[in-house]
Amino acid sequence: MADFGEILRNIGDFGSFQKITLFALCFPNLILPFHFSSVFFIQSDPERHCNTDWILRADPNLTTDEQLNLTLPREEDGTFSRCRMFVPVDWIISDIRDYGLNETTGCQNGWVYRNTMYKATIVTDFDLVCDQANLLEVAQAVLMAGILVGCLVFGPFAESFGRKRAAQIPVIVMLIFTVTTGLCPSFPLYLASQFMLGIGYGGYRLNGVILATEWIGVSKRSWGSCVTQIFGAVGQCILAGMVYFIRDWRLAQLITAAPLAVVAIYIWFIPESARWLLGRGRTEEAKQLLLKVAAINKRTIPVSLLEKIVVKETEKKGGIIILMQSSVLRKYFLTIILAWFSLNVTYYCLSFNVGNFGLDIFLTQLMFGLTELPAHILCIWLLEALGRKISLMGTLLAGGVLCMLILAFSQGNAVAVTTLATSGRFFINWAGSICNVYVQELFPTSFRQTASGLGSIASRAGGLLSPLLNMLAIFHWSIPTIVFSSLTLISGGLSFLLPETRRKELPDSTDEAEGNRNKRIMTKQSELNIHLHSKSTKL
């Protein structure tokens, strides 16, 4: 029986086919950061006052200053109230001037915004200010909830219907709801559209990287995850430039849809995972696909090797139940999802606060993207040089310490806070790339998608909780920082429990995953035992 790793080595484990497929599956990650533009670039507390055009019915010739003086109360510092207005009355203008207005109320006809950084944001379009200000965190949480549901839905979907379909459908979902989000006339419809967009986002992020990784051999397997992350980092940089020049969230949504439409066309030509086909018993389909891949890579696959491809005996499947019944796999699983959860809480707490560090928001966003690039590029090399275990522990502990150091500086020290936040995010991003590789190497083929899906769900749960954690800053600004830094440090320490998987074949059975042994060594040992046994029977 032919081992899939042996097959990949014969057809080319990182040839032209793998490179083209990897680029095609990574390109959408260049676009994915754009979906956060409407909740990142917001100017949460713009200059404003209540719309009091009602008084123009009494005197349409009032100047702006006169209108504001007659209709708006003043704060203690002498400025006009941003959230209150005098109750409208049906008086003539002379009576209003003589007697004045005293009774106040909340803004009844919306707000008038001035000196804003953007042409339009969800804050100004949907009036997410004053008593509605907390709805901004709700918008962020709804998007993250959609991403979580996408992982929950498309993880099991990929096990039953294949990696290919589980990557194609989310792209179509993202395309549709990227457009509808930009056209939404009301905030409830915006939330619904963002939730559906998040489902597509989560489904593609989960399955795109796995589809690419299952076609890549041992020597370059880390490229599947790290190149995906590199494309995302470049997207972060492009996002800063796009919003800087456009400054209109609706137009940004429609521009995002254009490259997604291109992806929605070519994604249908991406082939299925041969590893998944073999696991489902579809041997003939897998053989035909392998022959095509060998031809693209200009390699010849031996007929004898093809004849050895047989359907493996299907492991008893019980999903998460079997996973939890194995104490070894349970330890690995709980450790890796805690790390994934912690780093995503930290990542999104910092990302959603991009406008609150004191420096220019576009510069900060650009710095976030630029620092991600070396993190993911270094990751490709260091995963092979140092291994997965040491790399994960080191990045989580370094990121946690740097984030904790933010507490040593006042909020007014924008340079120090931004530098530490950016440096901490650098290591957190690095840890994210390692987790993406690690989770696929720790678990057998029958559990790999389930484990990756549940890990992604845990990570997206972290992203979902991050805007809610940031809301605790109303009690004290340091609370979110203490929580997410502590989680990262704890998960970094617990990563010591994980085994090293560097340069080892992906396990196909629970026994291989529990023993964490190199399958090539096991295969050679088995062949040697068979050879010796045959000799002994002849004697």
Side-chain angles (χ1 to χ4, degrees), residues 221 388 438 441-442 499-505 516:
R221 188 185 301 130
R388 279 60 164 157
Y438 220 159
E441 297 178 339
L442 287 171
E500 182 54 67
T501 59
R502 179 179 50 165
R503 295 172 187 167
K504 296 182 179 179
E505 292 283 4
N516 193 42

Side-chain angles (χ1 to χ4, degrees), residues 91-136:
W91 296 355
I92 61 175
I93 191 65
S94 59
D95 288 343
I96 295 175
R97 292 179 188 278
D98 292 341
Y99 300 107
L101 303 176
N102 296 309
E103 187 178 354
T104 62
T105 183
C107 298
Q108 297 180 353
N109 299 302
W111 283 260
V112 175
Y113 299 94
R114 61 184 187 277
N115 300 327
T116 56
M117 188 183 300
Y118 308 98
K119 294 178 182 177
T121 67
I122 61 169
V123 171
T124 57
D125 278 9
F126 301 131
D127 292 332
L128 305 184
V129 292
C130 299
D131 57 346
Q132 303 292 311
N134 286 338
L135 291 180
L136 176 59

